[in-house]
Amino acid sequence: MPPAASLRRLRLVALIPLALGVALAPAAVGKRKAPEIVLPGLEGPVEVVVDRDGVPHIRASNDFDLARVAGWVQARDRFFQMDLTRRQVSGDVAELLGDGELGNDIQARTIGLRRAAERSLAALPARTIAFIQAYADGVNAYLNTNPLPPEYALLELSSARPWSVLDTLAVAKGLAAQLSLDIDAGPTFQLQRFIDAGVANGFDGEALYFQDVERSAPMDPAATVPDAGGPPSFAAARKPVDRTMLAKAAAGAQRVREKLSRHPLFAAALQRREFQIGSNEWGVGAEHSVTGRPIMANDPHLAINVPSTLYEWRLEVTDDPEAGPMNVSGMGVPGTPIVVIGQNEDVTWGATTNGLDVSDIFSDELHVFQPPCLELGTLLCIKSEGQFFPVVLQFVTYSSNQVGDGIFDNVAVARLPIFQTVVLTVPFRSFGPIVDVEDPGLLLKPGGGITTALVLQYTGFHATREAQTFLVWDRARNLEDFRRGLEDFDFGSQNWSYADAEGNLAYFSSAEAPLRKDLEQGAPAGLSPAFIRDGSGPANWVPDPDRSQGQAIPFAVIPFDERPQLVNPPNGFFVNANNDAAGVTLDNDPLNERRTSNPGAIYYLAREYSNGLR
């Protein structure tokens, strides 16, 4: 704790049954009493101390008081950032910044991360929702009693939309998607260019296929868990690529690239290799430490934005009646009331991004106004595995702030072509959006017809529970608690480093990796998951509607025991810099390892990992 003279103290007290007090002036502690601010909803006094580095330390007697004050403090420090982030995920930035953002809003509504957040909201426990609601109440209490950040006056806006529980979940979905969503448009387009060049020059470009079009082997053959991939590798048979499907998919891939490349959240998902910014973590076991305790270091390497992507703070609950005490410090995310990377009195944890492949684009046969669809009670449907599956059609309204006209709060409905106001999703493919239609004119043509659609399937579109993970970890006492929290980290693939006061050192990878039917049978059906896949059926995800492993998605996933992990590593250390944790790509082929529990199946994690020398 820094010297008292460097602190700013904020006291939040129950002046009435519902109240808050916070000291905003940089007064030296001990020279005068800290100011008090009334905040509706508090059950008891809450104290906020801001240290000389600007880090808030919040102390409350229960979780809900803590969450309210956390919302108030974050809104004071970062509200414009919070507002912009939720809008980037939700697809209504134009209501803030004007017409120039309508294109990105259309893509955000198409991808549908806010729709995914709505599914997650419906799946969360009541206490978790109440905790996030208390945070939202704190944000709104600040907005109701304080001037807006100066950006709003420059944008000719006199008010901001109240914060909601759904906004917090949308922010979390957006961050997790930035770290895990991979849109396989680039490699598909590149492969088609190689084939075209080969035809023009007298050789078969398909022979280049995977390893040379998009090399997997890293420059440095390092693996966090060298033997995690199971038995020795084998040569996976490859089935011929459907050239007609590839040509259509490549054309659609280029259109997808053009539409999404300007969106701040989705540009990286198009070409994750080019956008890698990397993270580092390492741990040394207690037996190699002078202190006799494990040592762990972590640098997430997120972009140096202003303001920062993360938010440093300390959160303390003295004795919540239901959950007990908590004392955690570290990095949170503006818009959420938790610590995502940090330490409490018993455990510490860090993270690097894991390249786990949890999304596929399928080239599907789209039927428009055809009898099979009409029999399902829908106007559009796709065909896969010989069956027809409905497509949900939704019309969306967009609005735009008329910045620069001198009129405050002049937000008008945008006039857009009808095809830009339609969002199409396929519940069969994890509620995934149709991101391209080969012949969009059929959507307006009487009688319709049959065309090709590209559908994005992604584990993050389901009702996921990663919010639960951090609520467990912020209070974790030991390795068992940490494992329990890890069970709920459904998407946003990470490599987690862990150490505790008992002397344990551990590494875990996280997130649910879907099993593909063809890979479970030992060979990719045509193009591998690194490319746009044939949606006719053989490459579909393996259904598991009963969620037999307790997973969030209704598809079979790689079992927890087959994920790369280490507890008290025999060699006394581990290192991960986004590199291949299991070593499955070191020979330049990510499809030639077998699963331990199903030796006939391919153990597939990702097409590539970080290839740099970090």
Side-chain angles (χ1 to χ4, degrees), residues 3-10 23-35 49-50:
S6 67
L7 303 179
R8 286 178 290 152
R9 189 173 296 275
L10 302 82
L24 301 178
V29 175
K31 290 186 178 180
R32 63 187 175 105
K33 184 180 179 181
V49 176
V50 180

XYZ file of all heavy atoms in Angstrom, residues 3-10 23-35 49-50:
162
model
N 2.123 5.324 0.485
C 1.957 6.239 1.626
C 0.586 6.891 1.620
O -0.004 7.142 0.581
C 3.066 7.263 1.403
C 4.074 6.571 0.550
C 3.302 5.630 -0.315
N 0.088 7.189 2.827
C -1.269 7.734 2.956
C -1.434 9.028 2.198
O -2.501 9.304 1.643
C -1.594 7.948 4.438
N -0.386 9.840 2.109
C -0.515 11.133 1.453
C -0.773 10.998 -0.037
O -1.175 11.945 -0.692
C 0.755 11.961 1.684
N -0.534 9.783 -0.612
C -0.729 9.617 -2.049
C -2.092 9.041 -2.383
O -2.379 8.767 -3.534
C 0.359 8.687 -2.609
O 0.177 7.373 -2.094
N -2.951 8.832 -1.386
C -4.229 8.191 -1.622
C -5.351 9.198 -1.813
O -5.309 10.297 -1.265
C -4.589 7.283 -0.442
C -3.572 6.186 -0.097
C -4.092 5.404 1.102
C -3.358 5.270 -1.268
N -6.330 8.776 -2.605
C -7.598 9.485 -2.652
C -8.646 8.525 -2.116
O -8.764 7.411 -2.593
C -7.939 9.895 -4.098
C -7.094 11.042 -4.602
C -7.433 11.370 -6.033
N -6.976 10.295 -6.916
C -7.555 10.000 -8.078
N -8.622 10.667 -8.457
N -7.079 9.052 -8.837
N -9.367 8.939 -1.120
C -10.273 8.028 -0.448
C -11.716 8.381 -0.789
O -12.102 9.541 -0.775
C -10.061 8.095 1.069
C -10.797 7.025 1.850
C -10.402 7.039 3.300
N -8.997 6.703 3.487
C -8.536 5.448 3.568
N -9.365 4.441 3.458
N -7.251 5.220 3.760
N -12.508 7.317 -1.109
C -13.907 7.476 -1.458
C -14.716 6.636 -0.488
O -14.482 5.435 -0.359
C -14.172 6.996 -2.883
C -13.361 7.675 -4.016
C -12.001 7.065 -4.151
C -14.125 7.543 -5.321
N -15.310 9.468 -2.123
C -14.503 10.692 -2.082
C -13.847 10.916 -3.420
O -13.083 10.084 -3.877
C -13.445 10.569 -1.006
N -14.151 12.009 -4.069
C -13.611 12.281 -5.393
C -12.401 13.202 -5.352
O -11.577 13.186 -6.238
C -14.691 12.915 -6.271
C -15.945 12.053 -6.462
C -16.960 12.796 -7.299
C -15.582 10.744 -7.118
N -12.295 14.052 -4.335
C -11.193 15.007 -4.275
C -9.908 14.315 -3.876
O -9.914 13.408 -3.051
C -11.508 16.110 -3.271
N -8.748 14.720 -4.440
C -7.466 14.109 -4.102
C -6.952 14.599 -2.762
O -5.845 15.126 -2.644
C -6.568 14.544 -5.243
C -7.125 15.854 -5.678
C -8.608 15.751 -5.477
N -7.753 14.430 -1.721
C -7.380 14.928 -0.399
C -6.440 13.966 0.289
O -6.554 12.747 0.150
C -8.627 15.105 0.459
N -5.495 14.471 1.029
C -4.581 13.621 1.781
C -5.335 12.995 2.939
O -6.043 13.666 3.680
C -3.418 14.450 2.301
N -5.188 11.669 3.072
C -5.879 10.971 4.135
C -5.351 11.466 5.477
O -4.156 11.611 5.694
C -5.649 9.458 3.994
C -6.260 8.725 5.173
C -6.253 8.977 2.699
N -6.256 11.715 6.395
C -5.873 12.177 7.714
C -5.963 13.679 7.860
O -6.002 14.201 8.964
N -5.971 14.421 6.762
C -6.042 15.877 6.840
C -7.482 16.359 6.873
O -7.796 17.383 7.436
C -5.298 16.497 5.657
C -3.774 16.306 5.761
C -3.058 17.060 4.660
C -1.534 16.909 4.787
N -0.830 17.640 3.710
N -8.349 15.615 6.182
C -9.755 15.962 6.262
C -10.583 14.731 5.935
O -10.101 13.812 5.267
C -10.109 17.115 5.317
C -9.931 16.857 3.846
C -10.149 18.150 3.065
N -9.877 18.010 1.652
C -10.818 17.947 0.710
N -12.088 17.977 1.071
N -10.489 17.854 -0.551
N -11.790 14.719 6.393
C -12.644 13.561 6.195
C -12.974 13.387 4.724
O -13.267 14.351 4.023
C -13.924 13.727 7.006
C -14.853 12.517 6.943
C -16.100 12.759 7.777
C -17.021 11.541 7.680
N -18.254 11.755 8.460
N -12.935 12.146 4.287
C -13.254 11.871 2.891
C -14.710 12.219 2.603
O -15.593 11.919 3.407
C -13.010 10.397 2.588
N -14.976 12.860 1.476
C -16.364 13.165 1.112
C -17.201 11.894 0.997
O -16.674 10.814 0.767
C -16.229 13.859 -0.240
C -14.828 14.353 -0.280
C -14.019 13.359 0.481
N -10.580 3.416 -2.210
C -9.308 4.118 -2.100
C -8.600 4.036 -3.444
O -8.424 2.942 -3.995
C -8.419 3.499 -0.998
C -7.053 4.174 -0.969
C -9.100 3.608 0.348
N -8.216 5.192 -3.986
C -7.483 5.226 -5.247
C -6.015 5.472 -4.932
O -5.663 6.495 -4.351
C -8.030 6.334 -6.177
C -7.247 6.355 -7.490
C -9.513 6.089 -6.451
